[in-house]
């Protein structure tokens, strides 16, 4: 039976993907820097390992056929240590273990943001994988609905929120990306596959309006003018791929399922 290692397996995409891989018949091993919590991802094996130091990597990749590389750190210093140097360590360990496929999740449009340190690190990680000696697949996806939701939560705690409302996003559901990743595990090494993005491109202003409505909030939102080439890229939608719409779950439908339906169910139960 094929054994699949998922780096970052306890993160959002990883924990969404692991049950799907197990259901598809794979033996799944989660790799995380921390110990497993009680009852966490019971369908998978667990390997504690650290991409920054290499500790535990040899044991994590032992007897693994496919490596799904989903671990990432978005801050500049951490991205260099995890996304770039950690990827190189993972490739070295995977080669030694005889892994036959490495599948990497990257981000749409990263080559269009040359001054953004995190995206530069993702590009470098892609280069490491292409030259890493393990047959590979790279999938780029747009930002997750869940990621934008997590960004908005702290920003909207104040009565007046300052946000770059003219930024454009094409958010996609993490579950739909996970499903595509499972397909790519089955397909085997495929090189750079077509990018995927959500079903619609929205400004942050439009997303915030829908987010507030779903949560029953009324906060004043003012446009934050952000200078620089990175901000300009987000304003023109360089992080999107409107010609490669993949997801069916819109921002509005995700909000409905996450906030409105759950609230309605709770209200009905309380009655």
């Amino acid at each position: 039976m094929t054994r699949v290692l998922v780096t970052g397996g306890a993160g959002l995409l990883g924990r969404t993907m692991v049950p799907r891989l197990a259901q598809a018949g794979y033996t799944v091993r989660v790799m995380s820097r921390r110990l497993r919590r009680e009852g966490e991802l019971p369908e998978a094996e667990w390997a504690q390992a650290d991409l920054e130091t290499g500790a535990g990597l040899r044991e994590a990749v032992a007897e693994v056929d496919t490596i799904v590389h989903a671990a990432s750190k978005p801050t500049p210093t951490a991205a260099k240590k995890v996304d770039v140097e950690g990827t190189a360590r993972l490739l070295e360990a995977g080669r030694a273990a005889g892994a036959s496929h490495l599948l990497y999740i990257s981000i749409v449009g990263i080559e269009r943001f040359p001054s953004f340190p995190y995206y530069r690190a993702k590009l470098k990680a892609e280069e490491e994988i292409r030259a890493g000696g393990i047959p590979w697949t790279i999938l780029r996806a747009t930002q997750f609905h869940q990621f934008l939701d997590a960004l908005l939560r702290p920003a909207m705690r104040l009565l007046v929120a300052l946000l770059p409302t003219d930024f454009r996003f094409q958010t996609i559901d993490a579950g739909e990306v996970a499903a595509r990743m499972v397909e790519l595990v089955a397909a085997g090494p495929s090189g750079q596959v077509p990018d995927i993005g959500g079903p619609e491109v929205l400004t942050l202003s439009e997303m915030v309006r829908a987010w507030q409505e779903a949560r029953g909030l009324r906060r004043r939102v003012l446009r934050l003018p952000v200078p620089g080439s990175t901000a300009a890229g987000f304003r023109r939608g360089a992080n999107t791929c409107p010609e490669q719409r993949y997801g069916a779950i819109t921002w509005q439908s995700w909000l409905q399922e996450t906030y409105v339906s759950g609230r309605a169910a709770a209200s009905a139960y309380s009655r």
Side-chain angles (χ1 to χ4, degrees):
M1 185 178 293
T2 300
R3 177 174 276 106
V4 179
L5 174 72
V6 183
T7 75
L12 171 61
L13 180 60
R15 67 175 181 265
T16 307
M17 195 187 323
V18 165
R20 288 171 165 82
L21 286 167
Q23 188 173 19
Y26 297 102
T27 299
V28 187
R29 180 179 296 164
V30 169
M31 187 179 114
S32 175
R33 289 187 303 166
R34 60 172 176 81
L35 293 170
R36 191 203 304 247
R37 300 187 180 109
E38 185 177 355
E40 186 175 13
L41 297 172
E43 59 274 269
E45 302 171 352
W46 193 277
Q48 188 176 12
D50 192 339
L51 287 170
E52 288 191 35
T53 65
L57 269 184
R58 185 176 62 180
E59 294 78 10
V61 300
E63 300 180 348
V64 163
D65 303 287
T66 297
I67 300 170
V68 176
H69 188 18
S72 185
K73 292 288 183 181
T75 62
T77 301
K80 182 176 183 294
K81 292 180 178 179
V82 174
D83 292 76
V84 181
E85 297 169 4
T87 295
R89 292 187 187 96
L90 180 65
L91 286 161
E92 182 181 6
R95 284 194 306 271
S100 58
H101 182 200
L102 188 141
L103 168 58
Y104 183 56
I105 181 66
S106 191
I107 303 172
V108 167
I110 50 178
E111 75 283 3
R112 303 170 198 148
F113 294 85
S115 62
F116 192 6
Y118 177 50
Y119 282 10
R120 288 204 306 269
K122 298 294 284 186
L123 271 175
K124 180 62 177 174
E126 289 186 2
E127 292 171 8
E128 293 281 352
I129 289 163
R130 289 189 181 94
I134 299 175
W136 54 273
T137 304
I138 293 174
L139 171 68
R140 290 180 176 181
T142 54
Q143 287 77 23
F144 299 152
H145 297 319
Q146 294 89 336
F147 171 75
L148 263 292
D149 177 62
L151 288 182
L152 289 176
R153 284 172 178 263
M156 299 296 288
R157 285 177 184 154
L158 302 175
L159 292 178
V160 178
L162 290 172
L163 293 168
T165 52
D166 50 358
F167 280 20
R168 295 180 180 274
F169 295 95
Q170 188 184 352
T171 53
I172 189 170
D173 180 64
E176 292 184 312
V177 177
R180 177 61 178 142
M181 296 283 280
V182 174
E183 291 176 353
L184 291 171
V185 169
S190 304
Q192 179 113 22
V193 297
D195 297 351
I196 60 173
E200 56 190 356
V201 178
L202 299 172
T203 64
L204 188 57
S205 177
E206 292 170 320
M207 299 183 80
V208 169
R209 193 178 306 121
W211 189 86
Q212 290 211 75
E213 183 178 344
R215 301 203 65 191
L217 299 176
R218 296 188 66 179
R219 300 284 189 269
R220 189 180 179 193
V221 179
L222 299 179
R223 176 179 172 269
L224 176 66
V226 183
S229 61
T230 296
F234 281 104
R235 281 194 292 271
R236 68 174 183 270
N239 55 313
T240 68
C241 55
E243 70 288 353
Q244 291 162 297
R245 300 170 194 261
Y246 177 85
I249 300 173
T250 65
W251 174 242
Q252 184 70 54
S253 61
W254 184 85
L255 290 171
Q256 176 75 26
E257 179 65 26
T258 303
Y259 292 113
V260 181
S261 298
R263 190 166 61 240
S267 176
Y269 180 79
S270 67
R271 291 198 296 269

